[in-house]
Amino acid sequence: MLKRLRVIIAVASIVAVTLLFLDVSGFAARHWAWMAKIQLIPALLSLNLIVLAFLIGLTLLMGRIYCSVICPLGIFQDITARIRKFFAGKKARNSFRYHAEYRYVRYTVLTVFAVLLILGLTNLTASALAGLLEPYSEYGRMASQLLGPLYDSANNLLADWSAARDNYIFSHVAHATQWPVLIVAVLTFVVIVLMPRREYCNTICPVGSILGILAKHAWLRPVIDTSRCNGCRKCERN
Ligand code: SF4
């Protein structure tokens, strides 16, 4: 039941965020711009203390809920993992195993990201480099550059169709390709899709590293009763 609820919220969340990046009419921005404001790094950069307190409190209470249902890049990785599992054989379906975190990689990336974020307050290059590691920016680039042309084409078809019926509620939009951004988006997409289940989250993501530190102290974190564990590793697989 809880898992189903999580999936429903996660799907609604990624659809809403994706539309924020694609919608040319401004409808999404008018109705759910708050979805962008509850992303951790944007909230940090805008010093949105209420959102920051909410996210920190949520993590300290229930662990990385943020990674489950708020972060679009995390949800996107769940979707790619699900697709991979669907096409893989039965053996591969059970091949996702727990492995310990690569702590040194994780904290090195976090340190570099923190430095870039601070330098980025006054330096555009540092800000752009920080954006390469920040999950919300990464997802936004993929959505706008890879899905944007499709969305705009569909919008233009709809505009033609409605104009032929004397209805001008939709208007044409021109999609301007920004090649450097497109190349970064394609590379990000390839890396994310090729990585095993949530490998990016577990190894690289600086936001995940921050939340991971907090989640270790979460009030409702899962705890294994070692006196009753028989080592079947079912929890690992599931
Ligand atoms: S670890 Fe990073 S990319 Fe993964 S879900 Fe959490 S915030 Fe998003």
Side-chain angles (χ1 to χ4, degrees), residues 8-50:
I8 292 170
I9 297 174
V11 169
S13 171
I14 195 169
V15 170
V17 169
T18 305
L19 285 174
L20 277 179
F21 284 108
L22 297 179
D23 186 33
V24 284
S25 68
F27 181 85
R30 276 197 301 281
H31 290 89
W32 56 85
W34 58 269
M35 287 291 296
K37 293 183 183 155
I38 61 169
Q39 304 294 326
L40 196 133
I41 298 300
L44 180 67
L45 290 176
S46 60
L47 288 181
N48 191 333
L49 298 182
I50 294 174

Side-chain angles (χ1 to χ4, degrees), residues 72-90:
L73 193 64
I75 302 167
F76 175 71
Q77 286 172 85
D78 279 346
I79 293 170
T80 57
R82 184 60 69 97
I83 294 170
R84 204 181 297 121
K85 263 167 110 176
F86 180 79
F87 287 108
K90 203 174 175 196

Side-chain angles (χ1 to χ4, degrees), residues 142-159:
M142 287 196 294
S144 62
Q145 297 301 310
L146 305 180
L147 286 179
L150 291 176
Y151 190 89
D152 293 346
S153 303
N155 173 81
N156 292 346
L157 280 176
L158 209 54

Side-chain angles (χ1 to χ4, degrees), residues 64 66-67 71 73-75 77 135 198 200-201 205 207-208 211:
R64 285 165 68 174
Y66 181 90
C67 293
C71 172
L73 193 64
I75 302 167
Q77 286 172 85
R198 286 230 187 196
Y200 175 85
C201 296
C205 179
V207 176
L211 295 176

Side-chain angles (χ1 to χ4, degrees), residues 1 10 13 16 19 38 46 56 65 76-77 82 90 92 109 141 170-171 200 209 216-217 223 232-233:
M1 176 63 192
S13 171
L19 285 174
I38 61 169
S46 60
I56 291 169
I65 299 288
F76 175 71
Q77 286 172 85
R82 184 60 69 97
K90 203 174 175 196
V109 174
R141 256 190 311 274
F170 298 100
S171 52
Y200 175 85
S209 301
K216 278 182 186 156
H217 308 285
V223 176
C232 72
R233 310 184 87 166

